[in-house]
C-alpha cells in the first residue's frame, strides 16, 4: 500500500547568542527568495518535442515469492500552446497485446509493459518539462533549514535544504502518525537548480494496522531555452503493512529533439 503525498513541515539570552542565531536565519531567507526569483523568470512558453524513456523495476510480495516486474519503454511527447500530447508507438502496443495473451494463459505471469505504461503520469511529465513551475509550487510555503556551499559532479554549487510543510486532509490527519518531507536543491552560479532531491517518510495506522512508507525522488535539471527541464527523474517508493511489502523504482529520461 503506497500512501503518497507530495507535501512536509517545522523551523538567547545574551546578545551575542541572539546575533549568532539570527544571522543564519537572515541568510537562509535570502537564499530561498533568490531561488524563487530566478524560477519566476522561466516562462516555459516555447514549444517542445522530446523522446521519453521510462524504466520500471517493481517488486510486490503478499506472502510467497515476490512478483518482479521490469521493463523499459519509449514514447514521444509534444508540448504546445494547445497542451501536452503523449504518443505511444505501434510496436509498444503490440508488446502489450502479446503480454496480455501470455497473461491470459498463465495469470501468474507479470505484465511489466502494461504496468510501465500505466506508470506514466501526464502531470509527472508536465512537471519535468516545466520544472520551474513545479519547484515554485513546491517551495511556496517551505522553510529553509540550511544555505551552504555544496558540489555537483565535483563542481562547486550552492546547497539549500528545505523542510516542506504537510497538507493533509481531515481523513489523513486521523491516520497519519508522522510525515516528514525534506528537499535539497543544488544551485549553479546563475542560481538555477542543477539537482533536486526530495524525501518523505510517513507512518500511518489504518484499522489498528501500521503502515510505513518511504518515498524518494531525484531530478537532474538543465535549461532549454525559456524553460527548465528535468532531463532525468528517478523515483523510489517502498511500503509495508497489511501483510504486504512493496517497492518500486522508476527512471524517467527526457531527451529534447
Amino acid at each position: 500500500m503506497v500512501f503518497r503525498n507530495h507535501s512536509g513541515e517545522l523551523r538567547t539570552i545574551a546578545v551575542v547568542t541572539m546575533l549568532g542565531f539570527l544571522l543564519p536565519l537572515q541568510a537562509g531567507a535570502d537564499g530561498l527568495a533568490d531561488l524563487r526569483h530566478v524560477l519566476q523568470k522561466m516562462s516555459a512558453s516555447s514549444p517542445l518535442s522530446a523522446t521519453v524513456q521510462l524504466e520500471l523495476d517493481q517488486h510486490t510480495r503478499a506472502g510467497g515469492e515476490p512478483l518482479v516486474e521490469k521493463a523499459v519503454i519509449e514514447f514521444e511527447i509534444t508540448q504546445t500552446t494547445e497542451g501536452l500530447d503523449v504518443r505511444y508507438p505501434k510496436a509498444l502496443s503490440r508488446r502489450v497485446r502479446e503480454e496480455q495473451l501470455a497473461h491470459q494463459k498463465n495469470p501468474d505471469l507479470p505484465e511489466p509493459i502494461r504496468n510501465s505504461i500505466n506508470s506514466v503520469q501526464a502531470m509527472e511529465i508536465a512537471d519535468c518539462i516545466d520544472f520551474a513551475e513545479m519547484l515554485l509550487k513546491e517551495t511556496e510555503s517551505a522553510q529553509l533549514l540550511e544555505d551552504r556551499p555544496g558540489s555537483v559532479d565535483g563542481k562547486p554549487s550552492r546547497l539549500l535544504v528545505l523542510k516542506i510543510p504537510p497538507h493533509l486532509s481531515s481523513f489523513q490527519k486521523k491516520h497519519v502518525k508522522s510525515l516528514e518531507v525534506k528537499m535539497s536543491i543544488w544551485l549553479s552560479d546563475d542560481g538555477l537548480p542543477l539537482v533536486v532531491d526530495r524525501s518523505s517518510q510517513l507512518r500511518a495506522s489504518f484499522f489498528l494496522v501500521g503502515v510505513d512508507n518511504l518515498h524518494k525522488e531525484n531530478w537532474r535539471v538543465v535549461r532549454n531555452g525559456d524553460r527548465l527541464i528535468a532531463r532525468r527523474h528517478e523515483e523510489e517508493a517502498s511500503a509495508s503493512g497489511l501483510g504486504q511489502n512493496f517497492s518500486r523504482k522508476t527512471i524517467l529520461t527526457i531527451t529534447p529533439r
Side-chain angles (χ1 to χ4, degrees):
M1 179 177 185
V2 178
F3 190 110
R4 176 175 177 177
N5 188 296
H6 280 179
S7 301
E9 136 193 62
L10 286 168
R11 260 201 112 130
T12 86
I13 310 208
V15 174
V16 174
T17 304
M18 291 180 64
L19 288 174
F21 179 68
L22 291 174
L23 287 175
L25 283 180
Q26 182 61 42
D30 288 344
L32 183 54
D34 290 347
L35 170 63
R36 292 181 56 80
H37 179 71
V38 170
L39 294 176
Q40 287 166 354
K41 295 180 179 180
M42 309 301 295
S43 62
S45 58
S46 60
L48 175 73
S49 295
T51 299
V52 182
Q53 182 186 82
L54 176 73
E55 300 177 51
L56 172 71
D57 184 359
Q58 181 170 296
H59 299 249
T60 308
R61 182 193 291 270
E65 293 297 318
L67 178 65
V68 179
E69 298 178 276
K70 294 186 178 184
V72 179
I73 63 172
E74 284 192 0
F75 53 95
E76 306 293 324
I77 63 167
T78 303
Q79 174 73 64
T80 66
T81 55
E82 301 298 318
L84 175 66
D85 292 327
V86 180
R87 298 183 304 280
Y88 296 108
K90 289 184 178 180
L92 189 59
S93 299
R94 286 196 297 270
R95 292 172 64 189
V96 172
R97 285 196 293 271
E98 293 170 358
E99 192 178 76
Q100 286 177 321
L101 290 174
H103 182 75
Q104 288 174 359
K105 294 178 181 178
N106 182 0
D108 291 329
L109 290 178
E111 297 180 274
I113 304 299
R114 182 185 182 90
N115 286 333
S116 295
I117 294 175
N118 289 339
S119 295
V120 176
Q121 302 178 35
M123 287 310 301
E124 178 188 3
I125 295 174
D127 286 343
C128 285
I129 62 177
D130 187 1
F131 193 73
E133 178 68 17
M134 190 280 278
L135 200 53
L136 273 172
K137 293 177 181 176
E138 192 72 20
T139 59
E140 186 173 6
S141 21
Q143 178 187 7
L144 191 60
L145 301 179
E146 295 182 58
D147 182 353
R148 57 181 172 83
S151 65
V152 173
D153 299 329
K155 298 180 180 179
S157 67
R158 182 181 185 181
L159 173 60
L160 306 181
V161 180
L162 312 178
K163 194 168 190 178
I164 311 297
H167 301 285
L168 301 175
S169 67
S170 299
F171 173 81
Q172 291 168 341
K173 289 178 180 178
K174 292 179 181 178
H175 298 282
V176 173
K177 293 182 176 180
S178 64
L179 172 61
E180 183 176 358
V181 181
K182 286 187 178 180
M183 178 176 281
S184 298
I185 306 172
W186 286 263
L187 306 177
S188 63
D189 290 340
D190 56 7
L192 290 173
L194 296 169
V195 178
V196 178
D197 278 342
R198 178 170 59 192
S199 63
S200 65
Q201 191 159 12
L202 175 144
R203 301 199 71 184
S205 177
F206 296 88
F207 307 108
L208 302 180
V209 178
V211 175
D212 292 310
N213 176 217
L214 180 63
H215 186 251
K216 296 181 179 180
E217 293 181 84
N218 173 273
W219 294 268
R220 305 283 297 197
V221 186
V222 296
R223 183 170 187 168
N224 186 286
D226 63 352
R227 67 173 72 235
L228 290 181
I229 295 178
R231 60 179 176 84
R232 189 178 190 274
H233 178 208
E234 183 174 329
E235 186 172 7
E236 293 184 66
S238 62
S240 61
L242 302 175
Q244 298 185 14
N245 290 288
F246 171 88
S247 67
R248 179 176 64 186
K249 179 178 180 179
T250 58
I251 300 176
L252 193 72
T253 305
I254 297 178
T255 306
R257 297 197 303 271

